Amino acid sequence: MTSGSTDSPRTLADELRSRSDEELSELLRARPDLLSPLPGDLSQLATRAGARASVVRALEHLDTFTLQTAEALAIAERPCSPRALERLLPGGGERLPEALATLRSRALLWGRDDGLRLVRTAQELLAPSAGRPSATGLGPTLAEAAAGMAPSRTQQLLAACGLPATHDPVSAIGALAALFGDRERLAALLAGAPDGAAATLDRLTWGPPYGTLGSGPEAARAGAPLRWLLDRGLLMPTQPGTVVLPREVALTLRGGRAHREPRPEPPAVAAVAAHAPDLVDATAAGAAQRALDVLEKLLTAWEVEGPPVLRAGGLGVRELKRAAVILDVPEPEAVFWLELAYVAGLLASDSEADERYAPTPAYDDWLTAPTGERWLRLATAWLAGTRVPSLVGTRDGKGRLLAALGSGLDRGAVAALRHRALTLLASLPPGGAADPTAVRARLDWEWPRRLGTEPRHRLTEAALGEAEALGITGRGALASYARPLLETPPRPARAAELLAPLFPEPVDQVLLQADLTAVAPGPLRRDLRATMALAADVESTGGATVYRFTPGSIRRALDAGWTTDALHAFLAEVSRTPVPQPLDYLVDDVARRHGRLRVGAAGSYLRSEDETALGQLLADRRCEPLRLRRLAPTVLVSELSPDQLLLRLRELGLAPAAETAEGAVVTLSAEPRRARAARAARAPPGVPSREGVRLTGAPARVLAARDEGRGGRLRRADRGVER
């Protein structure tokens, strides 16, 4: 709507009727809540755009200067001229028209360009009132502060200011407001003020506009200046013992400025360190490889029997500690990996009667996918996810403890925050690392009303740390292969293509050493890594993985069905050097004792050719909970199930083996457990895509057609002339 228009819109609905389909689509993209459900026509759309909840959401998406512009409009006269707005926001420069265009495009501002009107609901939310100062630091107008004042009192204020009496309180307040709004007349009035009066006004000028009268000697010293100011309406009483500086006085003392510091330009995010792009990519790819290994290690450990789900949902504290021990990481980091597996759809509750967490069928597909695609699934799920792992261990608004994988961890704005933080890193030259403080300051400017300052800072810090752990960044700089994920629309296939060459080729051999350790000089082939994890325990990870063979790990391999000869052959095949003699002895020694005791179903039975060994078990007080009874010289029975009896005997340091009814040794490796449900990651909110652009265009056309059918929409030819 230009200043040269011959017709002025009377309402917001009138202005929406003058907009093109593309402009309506832009409004719906910026405020998607207006589409739920689809309004009947543009009048309903205007009504919904002025609803309090919708306006609050729209204000949360304004940057600092656009919000300052709206706050200035909220204290200006309606309608507001561009010149009056420029006086309220000096220094706005070229950013002021851009801010006005943003407010208008989001249906927060309407009217002719020379008669700007903020939507009434936004005015109510942003304008200071008698009970609520605004971000400008201004208080209520003189008329609002004087509401309910006796007429005789208003005449006394006029007389104290040297103004002639009036016939009614309204004109009296108007005369005082005109005096206070005139810089020269107000200066002349204050020239006769007692010492201390000007200092009192200075303390309230930039806010907060409220002050207390205090008590004691200090209040007595300030009594004369305060009395002088109150007698002239330069301060107005509110509650007992409290005064407020009227808005007209504050604006004049400020030189007409609505804000102490208009902030039209965003804080710069500059590179504080420059790394070679190849080094950044190599560092980030190493973190990406570790992310894949960590998740595979966790989910493999939970394949057979995952941890139980708490009655209220989520993972218990003890189970979280066990997961941290499995991964050999601190608990907060373990929470991040758990939540990442959850949002990526690789982990879920199995929904059984004995509800437990288990990998999903998608985990099997993920394991066999190319390495780059495996990482891509994690990265895109993290970018789109709304769950905040760093909230685990805190309490919600009702005082309930928030658990990992439980409810209460979703924050709708976190996906957009992650995306924006990484986009700021993408704006730097390749290899450039930003100061996290600068990133926080920039997000403070872009989202002044969103999330709250302290939560926003915590989430920004967590997002940058998680991006580093996931391999999206390296040494604080964005990896080159992650940049396609931040484009509009994103190009995930290109990201996987760029990452694939950075992963080292899997190795198929290890270095066996005499101290019963094995060193993998790089990432092992998946089948080899699974076998090594079965026959040995991981001692340390990094550029090289160190495994240690123990009696327990060798027994674990034998329990899984490996024979002694097969185990010796495997070690000889994968070792670059001859198998050390101590390792051969360890395998043989464990194999000799393995299966000496046989467990079967009775409840269960225990069989051994060594009658003395069975007699020792019956005499051992530690075996009393097993409830063993002798059926024959070489057979004992127990009420426990076979798997429970096996577990208890192993806890006593024995090495029993399971057998079939025919007496053959059987393996006890259970079928991997799988959950049926998986959590699907959503697209990051606030990040436009081609699909979003296309879908918001259709409702705009529908609304235009409906409104035109009811006779309310301007014809396209008329709009072309007007605009």
Side-chain angles (χ1 to χ4, degrees):
M1 187 74 63
T2 65
S3 57
S5 300
T6 56
D7 296 325
S8 178
R10 295 172 300 174
T11 63
L12 175 61
D14 283 346
E15 177 158 316
L16 292 181
R17 292 188 181 101
S18 72
R19 297 191 182 187
S20 66
D21 292 342
E22 178 54 36
E23 289 171 326
L24 289 176
S25 297
E26 183 182 356
L27 167 61
L28 298 177
R29 284 194 295 270
R31 299 178 63 178
D33 60 293
L34 301 180
L35 280 174
S36 181
L38 183 67
D41 54 23
L42 292 177
S43 294
Q44 288 187 16
L45 179 65
T47 301
R48 192 173 296 173
R52 184 181 181 88
S54 181
V55 171
V56 168
R57 282 192 290 269
L59 293 175
E60 288 178 349
H61 288 78
L62 300 181
D63 63 48
T64 292
F65 185 68
T66 306
L67 184 61
Q68 286 181 333
T69 303
E71 290 165 348
L73 286 166
I75 64 171
E77 293 185 0
R78 286 169 59 94
C80 178
S81 68
R83 183 170 297 180
L85 183 60
E86 289 173 1
R87 288 196 297 268
L88 289 168
L89 285 172
E94 297 178 357
R95 278 281 292 141
L96 187 55
E98 181 183 337
L100 291 173
T102 299
L103 292 173
R104 192 183 291 276
S105 70
R106 300 186 182 186
L108 296 171
L109 179 71
W110 63 281
R112 294 162 56 105
D113 288 348
D114 57 355
L116 304 170
R117 296 176 182 270
L118 203 62
V119 170
R120 185 173 300 279
T121 307
Q123 176 113 8
E124 295 171 353
L125 289 169
L126 297 177
S129 65
R132 183 191 68 250
S134 75
T136 61
L138 295 169
T141 63
L142 181 64
E144 292 169 341
M149 179 177 286
S152 60
R153 176 59 180 160
T154 61
Q155 299 303 316
Q156 292 173 2
L157 296 179
L158 285 175
C161 290
L163 298 175
T166 64
H167 297 290
D168 60 87
V170 175
S171 59
I173 294 300
L176 286 170
L179 169 63
F180 297 159
D182 188 309
R183 183 179 304 179
E184 293 182 359
R185 295 172 64 195
L186 180 61
L189 178 63
L190 291 176
D195 293 342
T200 300
L201 293 179
D202 287 344
R203 285 195 293 270
L204 303 179
T205 296
W206 291 103
Y210 293 91
T212 56
L213 299 178
S215 60
E218 184 177 347
R221 287 193 298 271
L226 280 174
R227 188 72 266 163
W228 190 90
L229 295 171
L230 287 167
D231 287 344
R232 286 154 182 79
L234 294 167
L235 290 180
M236 296 293 288
T238 53
Q239 299 175 353
T242 304
V243 295
V244 66
L245 182 67
R247 188 186 307 170
E248 294 87 347
V249 179
L251 279 173
T252 302
L253 295 176
R254 293 179 177 193
R257 290 185 291 169
H259 299 84
R260 181 192 290 268
E261 182 187 2
R263 300 177 62 193
E265 298 301 328
V269 178
V272 296
H275 306 290
D278 291 345
L279 177 61
V280 170
D281 288 350
T283 304
Q289 180 68 64
R290 177 176 179 270
L292 301 180
D293 293 343
V294 167
L295 283 188
E296 184 175 343
K297 182 178 182 180
L298 172 70
L299 297 176
T300 299
W302 285 5
E303 274 190 323
V304 176
E305 186 173 10
V309 180
L310 294 176
R311 182 177 301 175
L315 191 69
V317 175
R318 291 183 180 178
E319 298 298 339
L320 175 58
K321 291 181 182 295
R322 291 191 183 101
V325 171
I326 291 173
L327 300 179
D328 192 24
V329 297
E331 287 182 35
E333 185 178 347
V335 171
F336 169 65
W337 298 119
L338 287 167
E339 289 288 338
L340 181 60
Y342 181 60
V343 299
L346 306 179
L347 175 69
S349 163
D350 60 10
S351 302
E352 301 291 344
D354 176 23
E355 193 173 12
R356 293 180 175 273
Y357 288 108
T360 65
Y363 173 62
D364 298 312
D365 298 332
W366 181 77
L367 281 177
T368 58
T371 308
E373 294 180 11
R374 294 172 65 201
W375 177 84
L376 184 64
R377 175 160 187 153
L378 303 181
T380 53
W382 177 77
L383 272 172
T386 59
R387 293 177 65 82
V388 182
S390 58
L391 292 178
V392 170
T394 63
R395 295 188 180 273
D396 62 11
K398 297 182 179 180
R400 294 173 297 195
L401 191 67
L402 297 177
L405 305 179
S407 59
L409 298 182
D410 286 281
R411 298 293 183 272
V414 71
L417 182 143
R418 290 169 181 161
H419 193 278
R420 183 56 186 151
L422 294 179
T423 303
L424 292 174
L425 297 184
S427 67
L428 301 177
D435 183 355
T437 303
V439 176
R440 290 198 299 268
R442 179 59 171 265
L443 290 175
D444 286 344
W445 185 89
E446 293 184 356
W447 291 359
R449 289 174 67 97
R450 206 168 180 187
L451 291 171
T453 302
E454 186 176 347
R456 185 170 58 247
H457 286 180
R458 287 199 307 266
L459 292 176
T460 303
E461 183 178 355
L464 295 176
E466 291 166 3
E468 192 82 9
L470 190 51
I472 294 177
T473 61
R475 297 176 178 262
L478 189 69
S480 63
Y481 57 80
R483 291 177 182 269
L485 297 178
L486 305 175
E487 297 175 359
T488 303
R491 295 190 296 155
R494 178 59 178 163
E497 180 184 342
L498 292 174
L499 174 60
L502 298 176
F503 282 125
E505 287 295 327
V507 299
D508 57 3
Q509 286 189 312
V510 297
L511 302 174
L512 298 180
Q513 303 185 100
D515 61 351
L516 300 180
T517 61
V519 178
L524 296 175
R525 286 197 332 256
R526 184 175 176 273
D527 57 340
L528 177 55
R529 184 169 66 249
T531 304
M532 286 297 298
L534 182 67
D537 299 323
V538 176
E539 192 166 82
S540 65
T541 58
T545 304
V546 178
Y547 295 88
R548 177 169 294 279
F549 295 95
T550 66
S553 69
I554 298 298
R555 185 180 66 233
R556 188 167 63 230
L558 296 173
D559 284 343
W562 284 73
T563 64
T564 307
D565 292 340
L567 197 51
H568 280 300
F570 165 75
L571 294 174
E573 179 185 355
V574 300
S575 178
R576 290 185 178 179
T577 57
V579 179
Q581 195 175 52
L583 182 55
D584 277 333
Y585 286 166
L586 176 65
V587 172
D588 291 337
D589 183 56
V590 174
R592 272 194 304 271
R593 293 183 292 111
H594 185 264
R596 235 173 115 185
L597 301 177
R598 305 289 181 92
V599 172
S604 59
Y605 66 84
L606 183 62
R607 183 175 69 81
S608 175
E609 299 301 326
D610 189 342
E611 298 180 21
T612 304
L614 294 182
Q616 290 173 345
L617 286 177
L618 287 172
D620 192 337
R621 296 183 60 182
R622 296 178 301 167
C623 295
E624 290 180 0
L626 305 182
R627 301 178 184 178
L628 295 172
R629 293 179 292 112
R630 187 188 292 272
L631 288 186
T634 59
V635 180
L636 303 180
V637 294
S638 170
E639 296 179 8
L640 301 181
S641 63
D643 57 342
Q644 290 177 320
L645 183 56
L646 279 167
L647 179 62
R648 298 294 181 267
L649 290 173
R650 285 171 181 162
E651 289 175 351
L652 296 176
L654 302 173
E659 70 175 11
T660 65
E662 292 76 21
V665 176
V666 297
T667 62
L668 292 177
S669 55
E671 286 296 320
R673 193 167 186 168
R674 291 290 180 264
R676 289 175 292 182
R679 179 187 179 91
R682 297 174 292 180
V687 180
S689 63
R690 289 178 180 172
E691 291 74 10
V693 171
R694 178 177 58 80
L695 291 176
T696 52
R701 290 189 294 272
V702 170
L703 285 173
R706 288 179 178 177
D707 203 74
E708 191 169 358
R710 298 183 184 185
R713 182 147 172 100
L714 296 176
R715 296 182 179 178
R716 292 184 180 273
D718 295 338
R719 281 189 286 134
V721 172
E722 182 176 341
R723 300 188 68 81

